[in-house]
Amino acid sequence: FDLTLPGSGITAFFGASGAGKSTLLRAVAGLVKPANGIIRIGETVWQDDKDRLFIPTYKRSLGFVFQDARLFSHLNVTDNIRYGMKRIRTEKRRISLEKAIDLLGIGHLLERMPDTLSGGEKQRVSIARALATSPDIILIDEPLAALDMKRKSEILPYLQRLNEELGIPLLYVSHALEEVSTLADHLVLLDRGRILAAGNTSDMLTRLDLPLAHHDTASAIIEGKIIAEDTKFSLSTLSFQGGLIYLPTGNFSIGKHIRLRIQARDVSLATQKPEQTSILNILETTVTEISRESDGEVMVELDAKGTRLLSRITRKSASVLKLETGKPVYAQIKGIAVLESFT
Protein backbone atom coordinates (compact mmCIF):
# COMPACT_ATOMS: atom_id res chain seq x y z
CA PHE A 1 0.00 0.00 0.00
CA ASP A 2 1.13 3.55 -0.72
CA LEU A 3 -1.42 6.06 0.51
CA THR A 4 -1.69 9.66 1.56
CA LEU A 5 -5.06 10.30 3.21
CA PRO A 6 -6.87 13.45 4.37
CA GLY A 7 -6.11 14.58 7.91
CA SER A 8 -9.80 15.16 8.62
CA GLY A 9 -13.18 13.60 7.92
CA ILE A 10 -14.02 9.92 7.52
CA THR A 11 -11.93 7.72 5.24
CA ALA A 12 -13.41 4.29 4.45
CA PHE A 13 -11.44 1.20 3.46
CA PHE A 14 -13.89 -0.75 1.30
CA GLY A 15 -13.69 -4.15 -0.33
CA ALA A 16 -14.71 -7.78 -0.10
CA SER A 17 -13.56 -10.11 2.67
CA GLY A 18 -9.84 -10.78 2.29
CA ALA A 19 -9.15 -7.53 0.44
CA GLY A 20 -6.74 -6.33 3.15
CA LYS A 21 -8.93 -3.75 4.90
CA SER A 22 -8.45 -4.94 8.48
CA THR A 23 -4.77 -5.73 7.92
CA LEU A 24 -4.17 -2.17 6.77
CA LEU A 25 -6.02 -0.82 9.81
CA ARG A 26 -4.04 -3.05 12.18
CA ALA A 27 -0.80 -1.91 10.58
CA VAL A 28 -1.72 1.71 11.33
CA ALA A 29 -2.46 0.67 14.91
CA GLY A 30 0.80 -1.23 15.27
CA LEU A 31 -0.98 -4.53 15.92
CA VAL A 32 0.87 -5.97 12.93
CA LYS A 33 4.24 -4.77 11.67
CA PRO A 34 4.56 -4.54 7.88
CA ALA A 35 8.05 -5.02 6.45
CA ASN A 36 9.78 -1.91 5.11
CA GLY A 37 6.92 0.31 6.24
CA ILE A 38 6.53 4.01 6.93
CA ILE A 39 3.48 5.17 8.87
CA ARG A 40 3.04 8.84 9.67
CA ILE A 41 0.07 10.56 11.32
CA GLY A 42 0.40 14.28 10.68
CA GLU A 43 3.96 15.12 11.66
CA THR A 44 4.30 12.14 14.02
CA VAL A 45 6.10 9.06 12.69
CA TRP A 46 4.88 5.75 14.12
CA GLN A 47 6.99 3.48 11.97
CA ASP A 48 10.00 3.97 9.71
CA ASP A 49 12.03 0.84 9.09
CA LYS A 50 14.87 2.78 7.47
CA ASP A 51 15.48 4.42 10.85
CA ARG A 52 14.56 1.26 12.78
CA LEU A 53 11.69 3.14 14.36
CA PHE A 54 8.57 1.35 15.57
CA ILE A 55 6.26 2.92 18.15
CA PRO A 56 4.28 0.19 19.98
CA THR A 57 0.50 0.35 19.97
CA TYR A 58 0.13 1.49 23.57
CA LYS A 59 2.26 4.56 22.83
CA ARG A 60 0.30 5.59 19.71
CA SER A 61 -2.37 8.25 20.16
CA LEU A 62 -5.25 6.26 18.70
CA GLY A 63 -8.60 4.82 19.60
CA PHE A 64 -9.52 1.39 18.18
CA VAL A 65 -13.07 0.04 17.89
CA PHE A 66 -13.38 -3.63 16.97
CA GLN A 67 -16.24 -5.51 15.32
CA ASP A 68 -17.11 -6.96 18.71
CA ALA A 69 -17.25 -4.30 21.42
CA ARG A 70 -14.78 -6.05 23.77
CA LEU A 71 -16.10 -4.35 26.88
CA PHE A 72 -14.84 -5.47 30.26
CA SER A 73 -17.64 -7.68 31.55
CA HIS A 74 -16.87 -6.98 35.23
CA LEU A 75 -17.08 -3.18 34.82
CA ASN A 76 -20.20 -1.07 34.32
CA VAL A 77 -20.48 1.39 31.43
CA THR A 78 -18.96 4.32 33.35
CA ASP A 79 -15.95 2.31 34.48
CA ASN A 80 -15.39 0.89 30.99
CA ILE A 81 -15.13 4.44 29.65
CA ARG A 82 -12.96 5.59 32.55
CA TYR A 83 -10.57 2.73 31.82
CA GLY A 84 -9.81 4.37 28.48
CA MET A 85 -9.39 7.75 30.12
CA LYS A 86 -6.85 6.39 32.61
CA ARG A 87 -4.54 5.44 29.76
CA ILE A 88 -3.42 9.06 29.22
CA ARG A 89 -2.01 11.77 31.43
CA THR A 90 -4.37 14.45 32.70
CA GLU A 91 -2.67 17.27 30.78
CA LYS A 92 -3.25 15.42 27.47
CA ARG A 93 -6.97 14.86 27.97
CA ARG A 94 -8.91 16.85 25.38
CA ILE A 95 -12.19 14.94 25.59
CA SER A 96 -13.90 14.76 28.97
CA LEU A 97 -15.89 11.82 30.27
CA GLU A 98 -19.04 13.93 30.02
CA LYS A 99 -18.29 14.85 26.39
CA ALA A 100 -17.77 11.23 25.34
CA ILE A 101 -21.00 10.21 27.06
CA ASP A 102 -22.95 13.04 25.45
CA LEU A 103 -21.61 12.44 21.92
CA LEU A 104 -22.68 8.79 22.00
CA GLY A 105 -25.99 9.39 23.78
CA ILE A 106 -25.34 6.83 26.51
CA GLY A 107 -26.11 8.87 29.63
CA HIS A 108 -28.96 6.51 30.54
CA LEU A 109 -26.68 3.45 30.42
CA LEU A 110 -23.93 4.48 32.85
CA GLU A 111 -24.75 2.06 35.67
CA ARG A 112 -25.56 -0.87 33.38
CA MET A 113 -23.32 -3.92 33.00
CA PRO A 114 -22.24 -5.00 29.49
CA ASP A 115 -24.28 -8.21 29.49
CA THR A 116 -27.49 -6.14 29.83
CA LEU A 117 -26.79 -4.01 26.74
CA SER A 118 -27.94 -4.53 23.18
CA GLY A 119 -25.34 -4.95 20.42
CA GLY A 120 -25.81 -1.35 19.32
CA GLU A 121 -25.48 -0.04 22.88
CA LYS A 122 -22.28 -2.03 23.42
CA GLN A 123 -20.73 -0.52 20.32
CA ARG A 124 -21.64 3.00 21.38
CA VAL A 125 -19.96 2.41 24.73
CA SER A 126 -16.94 0.96 22.96
CA ILE A 127 -16.67 4.08 20.78
CA ALA A 128 -17.02 6.32 23.86
CA ARG A 129 -14.19 4.39 25.54
CA ALA A 130 -11.99 4.94 22.47
CA LEU A 131 -12.82 8.65 22.54
CA ALA A 132 -11.91 8.91 26.20
CA THR A 133 -8.24 8.46 25.30
CA SER A 134 -8.37 11.81 23.42
CA PRO A 135 -6.79 10.17 20.35
CA ASP A 136 -5.27 11.84 17.30
CA ILE A 137 -7.05 9.30 15.11
CA ILE A 138 -9.85 6.75 15.54
CA LEU A 139 -9.70 3.35 13.82
CA ILE A 140 -13.00 1.51 13.42
CA ASP A 141 -13.09 -2.08 12.13
CA GLU A 142 -16.54 -3.11 10.83
CA PRO A 143 -18.42 -2.09 13.99
CA LEU A 144 -21.84 -2.73 12.47
CA ALA A 145 -21.20 -6.10 10.81
CA ALA A 146 -22.94 -8.09 13.53
CA LEU A 147 -25.92 -5.71 13.90
CA ASP A 148 -29.30 -5.74 12.21
CA MET A 149 -30.46 -2.83 10.06
CA LYS A 150 -32.32 -1.13 12.93
CA ARG A 151 -29.24 -1.15 15.18
CA LYS A 152 -27.04 0.05 12.32
CA SER A 153 -29.31 3.03 11.70
CA GLU A 154 -29.06 3.92 15.40
CA ILE A 155 -25.25 4.07 15.38
CA LEU A 156 -24.52 5.75 12.04
CA PRO A 157 -25.67 9.24 13.15
CA TYR A 158 -23.38 9.05 16.19
CA LEU A 159 -20.37 8.24 14.01
CA GLN A 160 -21.17 11.22 11.80
CA ARG A 161 -21.54 13.43 14.87
CA LEU A 162 -18.05 12.48 16.06
CA ASN A 163 -16.64 13.69 12.78
CA GLU A 164 -18.58 16.96 12.84
CA GLU A 165 -18.01 17.96 16.45
CA LEU A 166 -14.51 16.69 17.23
CA GLY A 167 -12.66 16.97 13.93
CA ILE A 168 -10.72 13.77 14.71
CA PRO A 169 -9.99 11.80 11.53
CA LEU A 170 -11.65 8.38 11.35
CA LEU A 171 -10.43 5.35 9.40
CA TYR A 172 -13.46 3.12 8.88
CA VAL A 173 -13.37 -0.45 7.56
CA SER A 174 -16.49 -1.87 5.93
CA HIS A 175 -17.70 -4.20 3.19
CA ALA A 176 -21.20 -2.65 3.25
CA LEU A 177 -21.72 -0.07 0.51
CA GLU A 178 -24.65 1.60 2.28
CA GLU A 179 -22.43 2.38 5.29
CA VAL A 180 -19.64 3.78 3.14
CA SER A 181 -21.93 5.95 1.02
CA THR A 182 -23.61 7.25 4.17
CA LEU A 183 -20.49 8.07 6.18
CA ALA A 184 -17.35 8.39 4.13
CA ASP A 185 -15.86 11.59 2.76
CA HIS A 186 -12.94 9.72 1.23
CA LEU A 187 -12.91 6.15 -0.08
CA VAL A 188 -10.09 3.64 -0.59
CA LEU A 189 -11.13 0.67 -2.72
CA LEU A 190 -9.16 -2.51 -1.99
CA ASP A 191 -9.05 -5.83 -3.82
CA ARG A 192 -6.95 -8.87 -2.91
CA GLY A 193 -4.31 -6.91 -1.06
CA ARG A 194 -3.93 -4.00 -3.45
CA ILE A 195 -5.40 -0.54 -3.92
CA LEU A 196 -7.66 -0.21 -6.96
CA ALA A 197 -8.37 3.50 -6.44
CA ALA A 198 -8.77 6.20 -3.81
CA GLY A 199 -10.59 9.52 -3.83
CA ASN A 200 -13.70 11.50 -2.97
CA THR A 201 -16.55 9.08 -2.19
CA SER A 202 -19.10 10.56 -4.58
CA ASP A 203 -16.56 10.44 -7.43
CA MET A 204 -15.51 6.89 -6.62
CA LEU A 205 -19.09 5.59 -6.61
CA THR A 206 -19.79 6.89 -10.12
CA ARG A 207 -16.54 6.08 -11.92
CA LEU A 208 -17.43 3.60 -14.64
CA ASP A 209 -13.89 2.23 -14.66
CA LEU A 210 -14.42 0.92 -11.11
CA PRO A 211 -16.62 -2.01 -9.99
CA LEU A 212 -18.60 0.18 -7.53
CA ALA A 213 -20.42 1.84 -10.43
CA HIS A 214 -21.82 -1.39 -11.81
CA HIS A 215 -24.44 -4.04 -11.12
CA ASP A 216 -27.42 -3.82 -8.80
CA THR A 217 -25.81 -1.78 -5.99
CA ALA A 218 -24.53 1.03 -8.23
CA SER A 219 -25.55 4.43 -6.86
CA ALA A 220 -24.64 8.11 -6.71
CA ILE A 221 -24.57 10.65 -3.90
CA ILE A 222 -26.34 14.01 -3.87
CA GLU A 223 -25.54 16.53 -1.14
CA GLY A 224 -27.70 19.57 -0.60
CA LYS A 225 -29.86 21.61 1.76
CA ILE A 226 -33.54 21.38 2.66
CA ILE A 227 -35.11 24.66 1.51
CA ALA A 228 -38.87 24.03 1.82
CA GLU A 229 -41.49 21.73 3.28
CA ASP A 230 -44.93 20.98 1.89
CA THR A 231 -46.95 20.05 4.96
CA LYS A 232 -50.06 19.26 2.92
CA PHE A 233 -48.34 16.42 1.07
CA SER A 234 -45.51 15.73 3.57
CA LEU A 235 -42.81 16.53 1.03
CA SER A 236 -39.48 18.26 1.53
CA THR A 237 -37.48 20.07 -1.13
CA LEU A 238 -33.74 19.55 -1.34
CA SER A 239 -31.68 22.06 -3.31
CA PHE A 240 -28.35 20.96 -4.80
CA GLN A 241 -26.18 22.23 -7.64
CA GLY A 242 -28.03 20.10 -10.19
CA GLY A 243 -31.53 21.31 -9.29
CA LEU A 244 -34.25 20.30 -6.86
CA ILE A 245 -35.21 16.95 -5.38
CA TYR A 246 -38.60 16.33 -3.76
CA LEU A 247 -38.70 13.58 -1.19
CA PRO A 248 -40.96 12.35 1.61
CA THR A 249 -40.47 14.45 4.72
CA GLY A 250 -38.00 12.79 7.08
CA ASN A 251 -36.25 13.68 10.31
CA PHE A 252 -34.88 16.98 9.10
CA SER A 253 -35.82 20.65 9.08
CA ILE A 254 -35.45 23.60 6.70
CA GLY A 255 -31.82 24.61 6.40
CA LYS A 256 -30.43 21.18 7.23
CA HIS A 257 -27.72 19.76 4.98
CA ILE A 258 -28.29 16.13 4.07
CA ARG A 259 -26.81 13.48 1.83
CA LEU A 260 -28.94 11.30 -0.42
CA ARG A 261 -28.06 8.06 -2.19
CA ILE A 262 -29.76 7.46 -5.53
CA GLN A 263 -29.51 3.99 -7.00
CA ALA A 264 -28.85 3.67 -10.71
CA ARG A 265 -31.75 1.26 -11.15
CA ASP A 266 -34.15 3.98 -9.94
CA VAL A 267 -33.11 6.55 -12.56
CA SER A 268 -34.94 6.52 -15.91
CA LEU A 269 -34.13 8.69 -18.91
CA ALA A 270 -36.06 10.71 -21.50
CA THR A 271 -34.96 12.90 -24.41
CA GLN A 272 -37.95 15.23 -23.92
CA LYS A 273 -39.20 16.61 -20.62
CA PRO A 274 -41.97 14.27 -19.40
CA GLU A 275 -45.40 15.70 -18.64
CA GLN A 276 -48.37 14.27 -16.75
CA THR A 277 -46.13 11.86 -14.86
CA SER A 278 -46.17 10.67 -11.25
CA ILE A 279 -42.42 11.24 -10.99
CA LEU A 280 -41.74 14.66 -9.46
CA ASN A 281 -37.96 14.67 -9.76
CA ILE A 282 -36.96 15.51 -13.32
CA LEU A 283 -33.41 16.80 -13.76
CA GLU A 284 -31.64 18.22 -16.79
CA THR A 285 -28.49 16.19 -17.37
CA THR A 286 -25.93 15.37 -20.04
CA VAL A 287 -24.64 11.92 -20.95
CA THR A 288 -20.92 11.76 -20.15
CA GLU A 289 -20.20 8.05 -20.63
CA ILE A 290 -21.94 4.77 -21.47
CA SER A 291 -20.69 1.39 -20.29
CA ARG A 292 -22.02 -2.04 -21.26
CA GLU A 293 -23.26 -3.95 -18.20
CA SER A 294 -24.38 -7.17 -19.89
CA ASP A 295 -25.86 -8.37 -23.16
CA GLY A 296 -29.08 -6.58 -22.28
CA GLU A 297 -28.08 -3.61 -20.06
CA VAL A 298 -25.91 -0.50 -20.03
CA MET A 299 -24.83 1.93 -17.31
CA VAL A 300 -25.12 5.58 -18.26
CA GLU A 301 -23.06 8.23 -16.45
CA LEU A 302 -24.78 11.61 -16.29
CA ASP A 303 -23.69 15.13 -15.40
CA ALA A 304 -26.34 17.18 -13.55
CA LYS A 305 -24.61 20.58 -13.59
CA GLY A 306 -21.58 19.25 -11.78
CA THR A 307 -23.17 16.38 -9.85
CA ARG A 308 -22.67 12.90 -11.29
CA LEU A 309 -25.55 10.42 -11.48
CA LEU A 310 -25.88 6.88 -12.82
CA SER A 311 -28.74 5.30 -14.74
CA ARG A 312 -29.01 1.56 -15.37
CA ILE A 313 -31.22 0.87 -18.39
CA THR A 314 -31.66 -1.75 -21.09
CA ARG A 315 -29.56 -1.65 -24.24
CA LYS A 316 -32.77 -1.38 -26.23
CA SER A 317 -33.77 1.78 -24.32
CA ALA A 318 -30.34 3.28 -24.98
CA SER A 319 -30.74 2.46 -28.67
CA VAL A 320 -34.28 3.87 -28.93
CA LEU A 321 -33.15 7.11 -27.22
CA LYS A 322 -30.03 7.19 -29.42
CA LEU A 323 -27.88 7.89 -26.38
CA GLU A 324 -24.34 9.08 -26.93
CA THR A 325 -21.75 11.12 -25.07
CA GLY A 326 -22.73 14.78 -24.88
CA LYS A 327 -26.44 14.21 -25.49
CA PRO A 328 -28.80 16.16 -23.17
CA VAL A 329 -31.38 13.98 -21.43
CA TYR A 330 -33.86 14.27 -18.57
CA ALA A 331 -33.23 12.02 -15.57
CA GLN A 332 -36.33 10.92 -13.66
CA ILE A 333 -36.05 9.82 -10.03
CA LYS A 334 -38.85 8.54 -7.85
CA GLY A 335 -38.97 10.44 -4.56
CA ILE A 336 -39.85 7.31 -2.60
CA ALA A 337 -36.84 5.53 -4.08
CA VAL A 338 -34.32 8.05 -2.72
CA LEU A 339 -32.31 6.64 0.18
CA GLU A 340 -31.94 9.27 2.88
CA SER A 341 -28.62 9.70 4.56
CA PHE A 342 -27.49 12.60 6.74
CA THR A 343 -24.76 15.11 7.35
Side-chain angles (χ1 to χ4, degrees), residues 7-40:
S8 62
I10 299 176
T11 294
F13 297 150
F14 180 80
S17 296
K21 307 182 299 295
S22 294
T23 301
L24 179 54
L25 203 71
R26 289 169 177 266
V28 175
L31 297 174
V32 297
K33 184 180 179 181
N36 302 317
I38 298 174
I39 296 173
R40 180 184 295 110

Side-chain angles (χ1 to χ4, degrees), residues 38-103:
I38 298 174
I39 296 173
R40 180 184 295 110
I41 305 297
E43 299 301 318
T44 304
V45 178
W46 284 351
Q47 178 177 340
D48 189 340
D49 288 330
K50 290 188 299 182
D51 294 334
R52 297 183 180 180
L53 173 67
F54 183 82
I55 304 299
T57 301
Y58 76 94
K59 290 186 177 181
R60 300 187 183 194
S61 179
L62 62 87
F64 203 115
V65 180
F66 294 89
Q67 181 175 328
D68 52 333
R70 304 194 183 188
L71 300 178
F72 297 111
S73 60
H74 65 291
L75 300 178
N76 65 17
V77 167
T78 300
D79 289 337
N80 262 282
I81 300 172
R82 281 180 175 154
Y83 183 88
M85 186 166 285
K86 288 190 296 185
R87 309 303 296 174
I88 59 171
R89 297 194 299 269
T90 303
E91 65 272 17
K92 290 191 174 184
R93 292 177 187 170
R94 294 174 285 110
I95 301 174
S96 67
L97 177 68
E98 293 74 20
K99 182 67 172 178
I101 290 169
D102 175 66
L103 283 171

Side-chain angles (χ1 to χ4, degrees), residues 77-320:
V77 167
T78 300
D79 289 337
N80 262 282
I81 300 172
R82 281 180 175 154
Y83 183 88
M85 186 166 285
K86 288 190 296 185
R87 309 303 296 174
I88 59 171
R89 297 194 299 269
T90 303
E91 65 272 17
K92 290 191 174 184
R93 292 177 187 170
R94 294 174 285 110
I95 301 174
S96 67
L97 177 68
E98 293 74 20
K99 182 67 172 178
I101 290 169
D102 175 66
L103 283 171
L104 276 301
I106 53 175
H108 60 296
L109 304 175
L110 299 181
E111 300 304 318
R112 300 262 296 273
M113 301 300 289
D115 62 359
T116 70
L117 304 176
S118 69
E121 289 170 340
K122 288 178 181 177
Q123 282 295 28
R124 283 156 62 191
V125 174
S126 177
I127 296 168
R129 183 176 61 182
L131 276 183
T133 65
S134 297
D136 291 333
I137 189 170
I138 299 175
L139 313 178
I140 304 181
D141 192 2
E142 301 209 58
L144 311 184
L147 304 181
D148 59 30
M149 190 56 65
K150 180 180 179 181
R151 300 303 179 194
K152 287 183 180 181
S153 63
E154 290 176 359
I155 292 181
L156 287 172
Y158 290 105
L159 292 173
Q160 184 68 30
R161 189 179 176 194
L162 297 185
N163 177 44
E164 290 176 350
E165 296 196 20
L166 296 180
I168 299 174
L170 274 70
L171 297 186
Y172 188 92
V173 164
S174 179
H175 65 271
L177 189 59
E178 65 272 14
E179 292 177 27
V180 169
S181 58
T182 294
L183 284 173
D185 306 297
H186 194 83
L187 177 61
V188 179
L189 181 60
L190 301 167
D191 180 52
R192 289 174 289 185
R194 63 191 181 95
I195 298 169
L196 290 184
N200 176 276
T201 300
S202 59
D203 292 339
M204 292 279 288
L205 291 178
T206 53
R207 278 179 51 180
L208 292 185
D209 62 327
L210 298 178
L212 295 176
H214 297 278
H215 309 301
D216 199 47
T217 57
S219 59
I221 289 174
I222 283 179
E223 297 194 53
K225 182 172 71 172
I226 299 296
I227 61 169
E229 184 176 349
D230 185 339
T231 56
K232 179 179 180 180
F233 294 106
S234 295
L235 287 176
S236 293
T237 304
L238 176 99
S239 175
F240 75 110
Q241 63 183 15
L244 301 175
I245 293 285
Y246 303 95
L247 63 157
T249 298
N251 185 27
F252 40 72
S253 56
I254 293 176
K256 184 172 183 180
H257 290 265
I258 66 170
R259 176 187 288 190
L260 303 176
R261 182 161 64 97
I262 298 177
Q263 295 182 294
R265 65 189 183 192
D266 295 323
V267 179
S268 63
L269 303 178
T271 55
Q272 296 182 353
K273 189 170 184 178
E275 297 180 356
Q276 300 299 313
T277 172
S278 64
I279 298 178
L280 299 177
N281 300 313
I282 301 173
L283 303 174
E284 295 181 9
T285 69
T286 303
V287 176
T288 52
E289 192 175 347
I290 302 173
S291 174
R292 185 163 173 164
E293 284 282 283
S294 66
D295 289 341
E297 297 179 342
V298 296
M299 189 70 74
V300 183
E301 182 188 89
L302 305 165
D303 174 39
K305 300 177 183 178
T307 296
R308 286 203 301 220
L309 298 173
L310 296 175
S311 175
R312 184 182 177 193
I313 60 175
T314 63
R315 285 181 60 210
K316 181 175 182 179
S317 294
S319 177
V320 169

